C-alpha cells in the first residue's frame, strides 16, 4: 500500500517553462488537494478536488491548473513558471474533507530560476 | 481564510520533559487536527478532535480543545529525540464547504538529548 505518491521529488525550472507535478493515491479517496509550503507561511491550499471530474480553487490558485480524470490521480500543472512559485509542494488525500485524517505525499521541492 | 496560529514558533526542551504547543483559530470549526512534519518529509496525522470534544489522548499525546476561546493545545509527554519535528494544527470550516484544511505556520520542536 503506497499511500500518496508524488513525482518528481526535486525539480529545477527556468522562468517561463511549464511542467506537471504528479500525484497518485491508492486508497480510493475521493478528496485530493495540493498545498504549497513556504518558509514562515505554513501550508496554503492551491486547488482541491472532491471527486473525479470536480475541481475547485483554494487560497492561492493563480499560475496553477489541475484536472481529475480518475479517482487515483490529481496532477498539478504550472503553466509558465515564475520565481515566486519556488516552493515545496504537497499533495494530500482523504476519505472526506476535514473530518478524517489527510494523507500527505513526500513533497516536490521546486526551484524556479 | 481562517487560519490556525501555533504558539510558540519554536520550542527547545530536554529529553524526558513535556512539550506543550498551542493553536488559536479565528472562526467556528467542526474539527481540529494536529500533524507532525519531520525535516524534509510530508505531514503525518497525529490526532483529530471534534468540536464537541474537550480532550483526547493518543499514546503520549494529549490534545485539548476550547471552542469558547477558539484554541487547542497539544501536549507531548516524556519527550524523545525522535519527537524533534514541526507540529501543525489544521482546522476545517463549519460552513460545510469542502474547501480544505487550513494550516497554521507550525511550532518547531527540538528535543535536546
Amino acid at each position: 500500500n503506497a499511500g500518496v505518491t508524488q513525482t518528481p521529488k526535486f525539480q529545477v525550472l527556468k522562468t517561463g517553462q511549464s511542467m506537471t507535478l504528479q500525484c497518485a493515491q491508492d486508497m480510493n479517496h475521493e478528496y485530493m488537494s495540493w498545498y504549497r509550503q513556504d518558509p514562515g507561511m505554513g501550508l496554503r491550499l492551491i486547488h482541491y478536488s472532491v471527486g473525479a471530474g470536480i475541481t475547485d480553487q483554494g487560497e492561492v490558485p493563480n499560475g496553477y491548473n489541475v484536472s481529475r480524470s480518475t479517482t487515483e490521480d490529481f496532477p498539478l500543472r504550472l503553466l509558465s513558471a515564475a520565481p515566486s512559485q519556488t516552493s515545496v509542494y504537497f499533495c494530500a488525500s482523504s476519505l472526506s474533507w476535514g473530518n478524517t485524517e489527510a494523507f500527505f505525499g513526500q513533497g516536490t521541492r521546486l526551484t524556479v530560476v | 481564510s481562517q487560519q490556525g496560529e501555533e504558539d510558540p514558533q519554536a520550542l527547545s526542551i530536554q529529553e524526558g520533559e513535556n512539550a506543550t504547543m498551542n493553536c488559536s483559530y479565528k472562526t467556528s470549526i467542526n474539527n481540529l487536527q494536529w500533524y507532525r512534519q519531520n525535516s524534509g518529509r510530508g505531514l503525518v496525522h497525529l490526532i483529530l478532535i471534534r468540536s464537541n470534544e474537550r480532550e483526547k489522548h493518543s499514546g503520549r499525546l494529549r490534545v485539548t480543545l476550547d471552542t469558547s476561546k477558539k484554541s487547542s493545545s497539544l501536549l507531548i509527554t516524556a519527550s524523545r529525540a525522535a519527537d524533534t519535528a514541526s507540529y501543525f494544527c489544521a482546522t476545517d470550516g463549519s460552513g460545510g464547504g469542502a474547501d480544505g484544511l487550513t494550516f497554521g505556520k507550525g511550532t518547531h520542536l527540538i528535543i535536546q538529548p
Side-chain angles (χ1 to χ4, degrees), chain A residues 31 35 37 40-43 45 48 50 59 90 97-107 109, chain B residues 1 3 31 33 35 37 40-45 48 50 88 92 97-105:
Chain A
Y31 296 82
Y35 291 86
Q37 185 177 32
M41 296 293 292
L43 278 82
L45 182 66
Y48 65 95
V50 300
E59 182 184 356
F90 289 99
W97 211 244
N99 61 357
T100 60
E101 69 174 287
F103 293 81
F104 282 80
Q106 292 300 299
R109 186 173 293 274
Chain B
S1 61
Q3 183 176 36
N31 307 281
Q33 304 185 39
Y35 287 82
Q37 183 181 35
R41 308 298 296 270
L43 279 72
V44 175
H45 180 263
L48 180 152
R50 306 192 188 282
F88 296 87
D92 69 336
D99 55 355
L101 294 172
T102 302
F103 287 83
K105 297 178 182 179

mmCIF file of all heavy atoms in Angstrom, chain A residues 31 35 37 40-43 45 48 50 59 90 97-107 109, chain B residues 1 3 31 33 35 37 40-45 48 50 88 92 97-105:
data_model
loop_
_atom_site.group_PDB
_atom_site.id
_atom_site.type_symbol
_atom_site.label_atom_id
_atom_site.label_comp_id
_atom_site.label_asym_id
_atom_site.label_seq_id
_atom_site.Cartn_x
_atom_site.Cartn_y
_atom_site.Cartn_z
ATOM 1 N N TYR A 31 -11.327 12.755 -1.898
ATOM 2 C CA TYR A 31 -10.830 14.107 -1.733
ATOM 3 C C TYR A 31 -9.319 14.140 -1.924
ATOM 4 O O TYR A 31 -8.579 13.384 -1.296
ATOM 5 C CB TYR A 31 -11.184 14.650 -0.350
ATOM 6 C CG TYR A 31 -12.666 14.773 -0.141
ATOM 7 C CD1 TYR A 31 -13.420 13.674 0.236
ATOM 8 C CD2 TYR A 31 -13.314 15.982 -0.312
ATOM 9 C CE1 TYR A 31 -14.787 13.780 0.422
ATOM 10 C CE2 TYR A 31 -14.683 16.098 -0.122
ATOM 11 C CZ TYR A 31 -15.403 14.988 0.244
ATOM 12 O OH TYR A 31 -16.753 15.108 0.437
ATOM 13 N N TYR A 35 -1.096 21.579 -1.821
ATOM 14 C CA TYR A 35 -0.664 22.676 -0.964
ATOM 15 C C TYR A 35 0.746 23.075 -1.380
ATOM 16 O O TYR A 35 1.515 22.270 -1.893
ATOM 17 C CB TYR A 35 -0.617 22.242 0.508
ATOM 18 C CG TYR A 35 -1.962 21.965 1.138
ATOM 19 C CD1 TYR A 35 -2.563 20.710 1.034
ATOM 20 C CD2 TYR A 35 -2.620 22.950 1.864
ATOM 21 C CE1 TYR A 35 -3.789 20.459 1.628
ATOM 22 C CE2 TYR A 35 -3.850 22.703 2.468
ATOM 23 C CZ TYR A 35 -4.423 21.449 2.339
ATOM 24 O OH TYR A 35 -5.637 21.202 2.938
ATOM 25 N N GLN A 37 4.175 24.913 0.508
ATOM 26 C CA GLN A 37 4.722 25.266 1.812
ATOM 27 C C GLN A 37 5.918 26.164 1.608
ATOM 28 O O GLN A 37 6.904 25.773 0.979
ATOM 29 C CB GLN A 37 5.133 24.014 2.594
ATOM 30 C CG GLN A 37 5.603 24.322 4.007
ATOM 31 C CD GLN A 37 5.933 23.077 4.805
ATOM 32 O OE1 GLN A 37 6.375 22.070 4.260
ATOM 33 N NE2 GLN A 37 5.720 23.134 6.112
ATOM 34 N N GLY A 40 7.940 30.087 6.905
ATOM 35 C CA GLY A 40 7.187 31.072 7.679
ATOM 36 C C GLY A 40 5.751 31.257 7.267
ATOM 37 O O GLY A 40 5.046 32.087 7.837
ATOM 38 N N MET A 41 5.276 30.486 6.272
ATOM 39 C CA MET A 41 3.906 30.677 5.769
ATOM 40 C C MET A 41 3.009 29.493 6.051
ATOM 41 O O MET A 41 1.824 29.532 5.772
ATOM 42 C CB MET A 41 3.944 30.926 4.261
ATOM 43 C CG MET A 41 4.664 32.192 3.865
ATOM 44 S SD MET A 41 3.783 33.660 4.412
ATOM 45 C CE MET A 41 2.332 33.579 3.379
ATOM 46 N N GLY A 42 3.538 28.415 6.570
ATOM 47 C CA GLY A 42 2.703 27.232 6.743
ATOM 48 C C GLY A 42 2.332 26.637 5.392
ATOM 49 O O GLY A 42 2.985 26.879 4.381
ATOM 50 N N LEU A 43 1.256 25.875 5.356
ATOM 51 C CA LEU A 43 0.774 25.266 4.114
ATOM 52 C C LEU A 43 -0.419 26.070 3.602
ATOM 53 O O LEU A 43 -1.328 26.394 4.369
ATOM 54 C CB LEU A 43 0.330 23.819 4.351
ATOM 55 C CG LEU A 43 1.433 22.778 4.360
ATOM 56 C CD1 LEU A 43 2.111 22.725 5.704
ATOM 57 C CD2 LEU A 43 0.875 21.399 4.004
ATOM 58 N N LEU A 45 -3.445 26.197 0.561
ATOM 59 C CA LEU A 45 -4.168 25.370 -0.387
ATOM 60 C C LEU A 45 -4.183 26.011 -1.767
ATOM 61 O O LEU A 45 -4.548 27.177 -1.926
ATOM 62 C CB LEU A 45 -5.605 25.164 0.119
ATOM 63 C CG LEU A 45 -6.515 24.275 -0.716
ATOM 64 C CD1 LEU A 45 -6.014 22.833 -0.696
ATOM 65 C CD2 LEU A 45 -7.947 24.340 -0.179
ATOM 66 N N TYR A 48 -8.186 21.925 -5.016
ATOM 67 C CA TYR A 48 -8.649 20.687 -4.421
ATOM 68 C C TYR A 48 -9.697 20.046 -5.313
ATOM 69 O O TYR A 48 -10.230 20.685 -6.237
ATOM 70 C CB TYR A 48 -9.185 20.923 -3.003
ATOM 71 C CG TYR A 48 -10.427 21.790 -2.947
ATOM 72 C CD1 TYR A 48 -11.696 21.220 -2.913
ATOM 73 C CD2 TYR A 48 -10.320 23.181 -2.903
ATOM 74 C CE1 TYR A 48 -12.830 22.009 -2.836
ATOM 75 C CE2 TYR A 48 -11.450 23.973 -2.840
ATOM 76 C CZ TYR A 48 -12.705 23.390 -2.804
ATOM 77 O OH TYR A 48 -13.825 24.183 -2.746
ATOM 78 N N VAL A 50 -13.083 17.140 -5.037
ATOM 79 C CA VAL A 50 -13.952 16.318 -4.196
ATOM 80 C C VAL A 50 -14.341 15.021 -4.890
ATOM 81 O O VAL A 50 -15.112 14.236 -4.338
ATOM 82 C CB VAL A 50 -15.205 17.096 -3.749
ATOM 83 C CG1 VAL A 50 -14.804 18.332 -2.952
ATOM 84 C CG2 VAL A 50 -16.064 17.467 -4.935
ATOM 85 N N GLU A 59 -6.761 28.746 -1.810
ATOM 86 C CA GLU A 59 -6.346 30.086 -1.394
ATOM 87 C C GLU A 59 -5.415 30.763 -2.394
ATOM 88 O O GLU A 59 -5.483 31.975 -2.605
ATOM 89 C CB GLU A 59 -5.650 29.989 -0.027
ATOM 90 C CG GLU A 59 -5.193 31.304 0.568
ATOM 91 C CD GLU A 59 -4.439 31.107 1.876
ATOM 92 O OE1 GLU A 59 -4.343 29.964 2.362
ATOM 93 O OE2 GLU A 59 -3.919 32.116 2.398
ATOM 94 N N PHE A 90 2.970 19.857 -1.755
ATOM 95 C CA PHE A 90 2.467 18.625 -1.158
ATOM 96 C C PHE A 90 1.085 18.304 -1.705
ATOM 97 O O PHE A 90 0.216 19.173 -1.811
ATOM 98 C CB PHE A 90 2.375 18.753 0.365
ATOM 99 C CG PHE A 90 3.697 18.769 1.054
ATOM 100 C CD1 PHE A 90 4.269 19.965 1.447
ATOM 101 C CD2 PHE A 90 4.379 17.581 1.298
ATOM 102 C CE1 PHE A 90 5.504 19.983 2.089
ATOM 103 C CE2 PHE A 90 5.604 17.593 1.925
ATOM 104 C CZ PHE A 90 6.178 18.792 2.324
ATOM 105 N N TRP A 97 -13.700 15.380 3.726
ATOM 106 C CA TRP A 97 -12.991 16.633 3.885
ATOM 107 C C TRP A 97 -13.117 17.150 5.298
ATOM 108 O O TRP A 97 -14.189 17.480 5.756
ATOM 109 C CB TRP A 97 -13.549 17.652 2.896
ATOM 110 C CG TRP A 97 -12.550 18.634 2.439
ATOM 111 C CD1 TRP A 97 -12.563 19.962 2.643
ATOM 112 C CD2 TRP A 97 -11.356 18.338 1.694
ATOM 113 N NE1 TRP A 97 -11.461 20.522 2.063
ATOM 114 C CE2 TRP A 97 -10.710 19.571 1.483
ATOM 115 C CE3 TRP A 97 -10.796 17.177 1.206
ATOM 116 C CZ2 TRP A 97 -9.515 19.663 0.782
ATOM 117 C CZ3 TRP A 97 -9.598 17.268 0.512
ATOM 118 C CH2 TRP A 97 -8.978 18.496 0.313
ATOM 119 N N GLY A 98 -11.964 17.211 5.967
ATOM 120 C CA GLY A 98 -11.915 17.886 7.253
ATOM 121 C C GLY A 98 -12.192 17.010 8.448
ATOM 122 O O GLY A 98 -11.651 17.244 9.517
ATOM 123 N N ASN A 99 -13.022 15.984 8.296
ATOM 124 C CA ASN A 99 -13.373 15.189 9.473
ATOM 125 C C ASN A 99 -12.704 13.824 9.495
ATOM 126 O O ASN A 99 -13.050 12.973 10.312
ATOM 127 C CB ASN A 99 -14.885 15.037 9.580
ATOM 128 C CG ASN A 99 -15.475 14.326 8.385
ATOM 129 O OD1 ASN A 99 -14.765 13.989 7.444
ATOM 130 N ND2 ASN A 99 -16.771 14.078 8.430
ATOM 131 N N THR A 100 -11.761 13.620 8.574
ATOM 132 C CA THR A 100 -10.920 12.432 8.617
ATOM 133 C C THR A 100 -9.489 12.857 8.350
ATOM 134 O O THR A 100 -9.242 13.939 7.811
ATOM 135 C CB THR A 100 -11.331 11.383 7.579
ATOM 136 O OG1 THR A 100 -11.222 11.960 6.268
ATOM 137 C CG2 THR A 100 -12.749 10.889 7.805
ATOM 138 N N GLU A 101 -8.554 11.993 8.701
ATOM 139 C CA GLU A 101 -7.162 12.370 8.534
ATOM 140 C C GLU A 101 -6.804 12.473 7.062
ATOM 141 O O GLU A 101 -7.339 11.745 6.230
ATOM 142 C CB GLU A 101 -6.251 11.371 9.233
ATOM 143 C CG GLU A 101 -6.207 10.007 8.601
ATOM 144 C CD GLU A 101 -5.173 9.107 9.267
ATOM 145 O OE1 GLU A 101 -3.972 9.332 9.057
ATOM 146 O OE2 GLU A 101 -5.590 8.189 9.993
ATOM 147 N N ALA A 102 -5.912 13.402 6.783
ATOM 148 C CA ALA A 102 -5.379 13.555 5.445
ATOM 149 C C ALA A 102 -4.029 12.844 5.370
ATOM 150 O O ALA A 102 -3.245 12.881 6.315
ATOM 151 C CB ALA A 102 -5.224 15.034 5.095
ATOM 152 N N PHE A 103 -3.790 12.209 4.235
ATOM 153 C CA PHE A 103 -2.522 11.527 3.986
ATOM 154 C C PHE A 103 -1.734 12.373 2.992
ATOM 155 O O PHE A 103 -2.265 12.758 1.945
ATOM 156 C CB PHE A 103 -2.768 10.129 3.403
ATOM 157 C CG PHE A 103 -3.419 9.184 4.374
ATOM 158 C CD1 PHE A 103 -4.787 9.215 4.584
ATOM 159 C CD2 PHE A 103 -2.654 8.261 5.086
ATOM 160 C CE1 PHE A 103 -5.393 8.355 5.491
ATOM 161 C CE2 PHE A 103 -3.252 7.388 5.983
ATOM 162 C CZ PHE A 103 -4.621 7.435 6.184
ATOM 163 N N PHE A 104 -0.502 12.628 3.325
ATOM 164 C CA PHE A 104 0.329 13.505 2.511
ATOM 165 C C PHE A 104 1.395 12.712 1.768
ATOM 166 O O PHE A 104 1.925 11.715 2.270
ATOM 167 C CB PHE A 104 1.015 14.564 3.377
ATOM 168 C CG PHE A 104 0.111 15.684 3.762
ATOM 169 C CD1 PHE A 104 -0.781 15.541 4.812
ATOM 170 C CD2 PHE A 104 0.139 16.890 3.083
ATOM 171 C CE1 PHE A 104 -1.629 16.571 5.176
ATOM 172 C CE2 PHE A 104 -0.710 17.933 3.437
ATOM 173 C CZ PHE A 104 -1.595 17.774 4.482
ATOM 174 N N GLY A 105 1.718 13.199 0.565
ATOM 175 C CA GLY A 105 2.881 12.708 -0.131
ATOM 176 C C GLY A 105 4.153 13.284 0.476
ATOM 177 O O GLY A 105 4.100 14.100 1.401
ATOM 178 N N GLN A 106 5.287 12.855 -0.064
ATOM 179 C CA GLN A 106 6.579 13.279 0.485
ATOM 180 C C GLN A 106 7.024 14.649 0.003
ATOM 181 O O GLN A 106 8.018 15.182 0.468
ATOM 182 C CB GLN A 106 7.654 12.244 0.140
ATOM 183 C CG GLN A 106 7.447 10.926 0.860
ATOM 184 C CD GLN A 106 7.487 11.112 2.376
ATOM 185 O OE1 GLN A 106 8.480 11.546 2.944
ATOM 186 N NE2 GLN A 106 6.397 10.791 3.047
ATOM 187 N N GLY A 107 6.290 15.203 -0.963
ATOM 188 C CA GLY A 107 6.594 16.559 -1.396
ATOM 189 C C GLY A 107 7.452 16.617 -2.645
ATOM 190 O O GLY A 107 8.214 15.691 -2.955
ATOM 191 N N ARG A 109 10.113 19.427 -4.210
ATOM 192 C CA ARG A 109 10.825 20.688 -3.989
ATOM 193 C C ARG A 109 11.126 21.303 -5.341
ATOM 194 O O ARG A 109 11.904 20.750 -6.117
ATOM 195 C CB ARG A 109 12.107 20.449 -3.203
ATOM 196 C CG ARG A 109 12.824 21.749 -2.816
ATOM 197 C CD ARG A 109 14.005 21.455 -1.900
ATOM 198 N NE ARG A 109 13.581 20.941 -0.607
ATOM 199 C CZ ARG A 109 13.238 21.679 0.431
ATOM 200 N NH1 ARG A 109 13.263 23.005 0.345
ATOM 201 N NH2 ARG A 109 12.891 21.115 1.568
ATOM 202 N N SER B 1 -8.982 33.625 4.501
ATOM 203 C CA SER B 1 -9.463 32.343 5.030
ATOM 204 C C SER B 1 -9.012 32.200 6.472
ATOM 205 O O SER B 1 -8.014 32.768 6.882
ATOM 206 C CB SER B 1 -8.924 31.189 4.197
ATOM 207 O OG SER B 1 -7.515 31.159 4.223
ATOM 208 N N GLN B 3 -7.388 30.707 9.779
ATOM 209 C CA GLN B 3 -6.092 30.055 9.914
ATOM 210 C C GLN B 3 -5.787 29.817 11.373
ATOM 211 O O GLN B 3 -6.015 30.682 12.219
ATOM 212 C CB GLN B 3 -5.014 30.937 9.299
ATOM 213 C CG GLN B 3 -3.616 30.314 9.314
ATOM 214 C CD GLN B 3 -2.605 31.170 8.618
ATOM 215 O OE1 GLN B 3 -2.667 32.381 8.690
ATOM 216 N NE2 GLN B 3 -1.663 30.562 7.928
ATOM 217 N N ASN B 31 -13.900 20.385 13.238
ATOM 218 C CA ASN B 31 -12.837 19.515 13.721
ATOM 219 C C ASN B 31 -11.515 20.267 13.728
ATOM 220 O O ASN B 31 -11.312 21.188 12.939
ATOM 221 C CB ASN B 31 -12.667 18.284 12.807
ATOM 222 C CG ASN B 31 -13.952 17.537 12.601
ATOM 223 O OD1 ASN B 31 -14.371 16.768 13.451
ATOM 224 N ND2 ASN B 31 -14.592 17.782 11.479
ATOM 225 N N GLN B 33 -7.273 19.271 13.765
ATOM 226 C CA GLN B 33 -6.319 18.166 13.673
ATOM 227 C C GLN B 33 -4.913 18.682 13.973
ATOM 228 O O GLN B 33 -4.607 19.855 13.763
ATOM 229 C CB GLN B 33 -6.344 17.556 12.258
ATOM 230 C CG GLN B 33 -7.720 17.087 11.817
ATOM 231 C CD GLN B 33 -7.697 16.392 10.479
ATOM 232 O OE1 GLN B 33 -6.785 15.646 10.168
ATOM 233 N NE2 GLN B 33 -8.727 16.630 9.673
ATOM 234 N N TYR B 35 -0.820 17.709 13.102
ATOM 235 C CA TYR B 35 0.076 16.967 12.221
ATOM 236 C C TYR B 35 1.516 17.209 12.638
ATOM 237 O O TYR B 35 1.862 18.251 13.192
ATOM 238 C CB TYR B 35 -0.102 17.431 10.768
ATOM 239 C CG TYR B 35 -1.375 16.960 10.121
ATOM 240 C CD1 TYR B 35 -2.574 17.634 10.341
ATOM 241 C CD2 TYR B 35 -1.398 15.836 9.292
ATOM 242 C CE1 TYR B 35 -3.751 17.206 9.762
ATOM 243 C CE2 TYR B 35 -2.574 15.398 8.700
ATOM 244 C CZ TYR B 35 -3.748 16.088 8.941
ATOM 245 O OH TYR B 35 -4.915 15.660 8.363
ATOM 246 N N GLN B 37 5.568 17.096 11.091
ATOM 247 C CA GLN B 37 6.390 17.077 9.886
ATOM 248 C C GLN B 37 7.849 16.988 10.286
ATOM 249 O O GLN B 37 8.404 17.911 10.881
ATOM 250 C CB GLN B 37 6.164 18.321 9.027
ATOM 251 C CG GLN B 37 6.945 18.297 7.720
ATOM 252 C CD GLN B 37 6.729 19.541 6.885
ATOM 253 O OE1 GLN B 37 6.569 20.636 7.394
ATOM 254 N NE2 GLN B 37 6.712 19.372 5.558
ATOM 255 N N GLY B 40 12.120 17.787 5.866
ATOM 256 C CA GLY B 40 12.201 17.274 4.508
ATOM 257 C C GLY B 40 11.177 16.211 4.152
ATOM 258 O O GLY B 40 11.284 15.592 3.092
ATOM 259 N N ARG B 41 10.195 16.010 5.030
ATOM 260 C CA ARG B 41 9.204 14.960 4.783
ATOM 261 C C ARG B 41 7.804 15.536 4.697
ATOM 262 O O ARG B 41 7.563 16.718 4.942
ATOM 263 C CB ARG B 41 9.252 13.919 5.915
ATOM 264 C CG ARG B 41 10.639 13.351 6.199
ATOM 265 C CD ARG B 41 11.201 12.606 5.004
ATOM 266 N NE ARG B 41 10.422 11.439 4.679
ATOM 267 C CZ ARG B 41 10.636 10.226 5.184
ATOM 268 N NH1 ARG B 41 11.602 10.054 6.074
ATOM 269 N NH2 ARG B 41 9.898 9.196 4.804
ATOM 270 N N GLY B 42 6.857 14.690 4.343
ATOM 271 C CA GLY B 42 5.459 15.100 4.321
ATOM 272 C C GLY B 42 4.871 15.137 5.719
ATOM 273 O O GLY B 42 5.491 14.726 6.687
ATOM 274 N N LEU B 43 3.660 15.643 5.810
ATOM 275 C CA LEU B 43 2.986 15.722 7.101
ATOM 276 C C LEU B 43 2.366 14.389 7.464
ATOM 277 O O LEU B 43 1.850 13.681 6.601
ATOM 278 C CB LEU B 43 1.899 16.797 7.078
ATOM 279 C CG LEU B 43 2.367 18.231 7.265
ATOM 280 C CD1 LEU B 43 3.091 18.739 6.040
ATOM 281 C CD2 LEU B 43 1.173 19.135 7.600
ATOM 282 N N VAL B 44 2.383 14.088 8.742
ATOM 283 C CA VAL B 44 1.796 12.864 9.263
ATOM 284 C C VAL B 44 0.727 13.229 10.287
ATOM 285 O O VAL B 44 0.977 14.027 11.196
ATOM 286 C CB VAL B 44 2.869 11.960 9.908
ATOM 287 C CG1 VAL B 44 2.223 10.748 10.565
ATOM 288 C CG2 VAL B 44 3.894 11.523 8.875
ATOM 289 N N HIS B 45 -0.437 12.641 10.127
ATOM 290 C CA HIS B 45 -1.549 12.928 11.029
ATOM 291 C C HIS B 45 -1.278 12.369 12.422
ATOM 292 O O HIS B 45 -0.827 11.222 12.573
ATOM 293 C CB HIS B 45 -2.827 12.305 10.460
ATOM 294 C CG HIS B 45 -4.035 12.536 11.296
ATOM 295 N ND1 HIS B 45 -4.508 11.616 12.204
ATOM 296 C CD2 HIS B 45 -4.867 13.595 11.372
ATOM 297 C CE1 HIS B 45 -5.586 12.094 12.788
ATOM 298 N NE2 HIS B 45 -5.823 13.287 12.308
ATOM 299 N N LEU B 48 -7.155 13.849 15.741
ATOM 300 C CA LEU B 48 -8.277 14.692 15.342
ATOM 301 C C LEU B 48 -9.199 14.844 16.538
ATOM 302 O O LEU B 48 -9.512 13.846 17.206
ATOM 303 C CB LEU B 48 -9.023 14.060 14.165
ATOM 304 C CG LEU B 48 -10.239 14.798 13.585
ATOM 305 C CD1 LEU B 48 -10.398 14.445 12.111
ATOM 306 C CD2 LEU B 48 -11.522 14.476 14.333
ATOM 307 N N ARG B 50 -12.932 16.602 17.664
ATOM 308 C CA ARG B 50 -14.153 17.194 17.136
ATOM 309 C C ARG B 50 -14.595 18.350 18.025
ATOM 310 O O ARG B 50 -14.245 18.432 19.199
ATOM 311 C CB ARG B 50 -15.250 16.142 16.998
ATOM 312 C CG ARG B 50 -14.799 14.953 16.176
ATOM 313 C CD ARG B 50 -15.914 14.021 15.755
ATOM 314 N NE ARG B 50 -15.372 12.816 15.142
ATOM 315 C CZ ARG B 50 -14.914 12.748 13.904
ATOM 316 N NH1 ARG B 50 -14.949 13.812 13.142
ATOM 317 N NH2 ARG B 50 -14.445 11.613 13.415
ATOM 318 N N PHE B 88 1.890 21.082 13.366
ATOM 319 C CA PHE B 88 0.918 21.990 12.781
ATOM 320 C C PHE B 88 -0.483 21.643 13.249
ATOM 321 O O PHE B 88 -0.836 20.458 13.324
ATOM 322 C CB PHE B 88 0.930 21.901 11.249
ATOM 323 C CG PHE B 88 2.208 22.324 10.611
ATOM 324 C CD1 PHE B 88 3.243 21.429 10.437
ATOM 325 C CD2 PHE B 88 2.373 23.623 10.172
ATOM 326 C CE1 PHE B 88 4.436 21.818 9.835
ATOM 327 C CE2 PHE B 88 3.552 24.022 9.564
ATOM 328 C CZ PHE B 88 4.590 23.114 9.399
ATOM 329 N N ASP B 92 -10.909 22.747 9.880
ATOM 330 C CA ASP B 92 -11.841 22.793 8.767
ATOM 331 C C ASP B 92 -12.881 23.850 9.109
ATOM 332 O O ASP B 92 -12.904 24.368 10.217
ATOM 333 C CB ASP B 92 -12.507 21.447 8.547
ATOM 334 C CG ASP B 92 -13.478 21.098 9.677
ATOM 335 O OD1 ASP B 92 -13.308 21.628 10.792
ATOM 336 O OD2 ASP B 92 -14.389 20.313 9.442
ATOM 337 N N GLY B 97 -18.563 23.612 3.543
ATOM 338 C CA GLY B 97 -17.936 23.585 2.235
ATOM 339 C C GLY B 97 -16.701 22.704 2.242
ATOM 340 O O GLY B 97 -16.006 22.602 3.243
ATOM 341 N N ALA B 98 -16.448 22.080 1.116
ATOM 342 C CA ALA B 98 -15.277 21.197 1.026
ATOM 343 C C ALA B 98 -14.086 21.999 0.558
ATOM 344 O O ALA B 98 -13.508 21.729 -0.470
ATOM 345 C CB ALA B 98 -15.562 20.051 0.076
ATOM 346 N N ASP B 99 -13.715 22.991 1.324
ATOM 347 C CA ASP B 99 -12.635 23.867 0.878
ATOM 348 C C ASP B 99 -11.342 23.612 1.618
ATOM 349 O O ASP B 99 -10.524 24.494 1.780
ATOM 350 C CB ASP B 99 -13.051 25.338 1.000
ATOM 351 C CG ASP B 99 -13.501 25.680 2.402
ATOM 352 O OD1 ASP B 99 -13.584 24.764 3.234
ATOM 353 O OD2 ASP B 99 -13.755 26.854 2.659
ATOM 354 N N GLY B 100 -11.176 22.434 2.104
ATOM 355 C CA GLY B 100 -9.865 22.025 2.567
ATOM 356 C C GLY B 100 -9.551 22.367 4.000
ATOM 357 O O GLY B 100 -10.292 23.074 4.671
ATOM 358 N N LEU B 101 -8.438 21.860 4.448
ATOM 359 C CA LEU B 101 -7.919 22.151 5.762
ATOM 360 C C LEU B 101 -7.095 23.428 5.701
ATOM 361 O O LEU B 101 -6.392 23.672 4.730
ATOM 362 C CB LEU B 101 -7.036 21.012 6.258
ATOM 363 C CG LEU B 101 -7.719 19.679 6.535
ATOM 364 C CD1 LEU B 101 -6.683 18.607 6.833
ATOM 365 C CD2 LEU B 101 -8.701 19.800 7.686
ATOM 366 N N THR B 102 -7.173 24.218 6.744
ATOM 367 C CA THR B 102 -6.369 25.418 6.852
ATOM 368 C C THR B 102 -5.338 25.197 7.939
ATOM 369 O O THR B 102 -5.697 24.898 9.081
ATOM 370 C CB THR B 102 -7.233 26.638 7.191
ATOM 371 O OG1 THR B 102 -8.235 26.792 6.187
ATOM 372 C CG2 THR B 102 -6.381 27.893 7.220
ATOM 373 N N PHE B 103 -4.071 25.349 7.562
ATOM 374 C CA PHE B 103 -2.975 25.055 8.469
ATOM 375 C C PHE B 103 -2.403 26.325 9.076
ATOM 376 O O PHE B 103 -2.367 27.377 8.451
ATOM 377 C CB PHE B 103 -1.853 24.327 7.722
ATOM 378 C CG PHE B 103 -2.176 22.906 7.389
ATOM 379 C CD1 PHE B 103 -2.917 22.589 6.267
ATOM 380 C CD2 PHE B 103 -1.737 21.867 8.214
ATOM 381 C CE1 PHE B 103 -3.223 21.280 5.964
ATOM 382 C CE2 PHE B 103 -2.042 20.550 7.903
ATOM 383 C CZ PHE B 103 -2.790 20.259 6.780
ATOM 384 N N GLY B 104 -1.904 26.175 10.294
ATOM 385 C CA GLY B 104 -1.117 27.221 10.900
ATOM 386 C C GLY B 104 0.310 27.169 10.400
ATOM 387 O O GLY B 104 0.656 26.344 9.554
ATOM 388 N N LYS B 105 1.143 28.055 10.953
ATOM 389 C CA LYS B 105 2.532 28.136 10.495
ATOM 390 C C LYS B 105 3.447 27.169 11.212
ATOM 391 O O LYS B 105 4.599 27.007 10.840
ATOM 392 C CB LYS B 105 3.031 29.580 10.656
ATOM 393 C CG LYS B 105 2.264 30.560 9.795
ATOM 394 C CD LYS B 105 2.727 31.987 10.010
ATOM 395 C CE LYS B 105 1.898 32.940 9.156
ATOM 396 N NZ LYS B 105 2.305 34.347 9.350
#
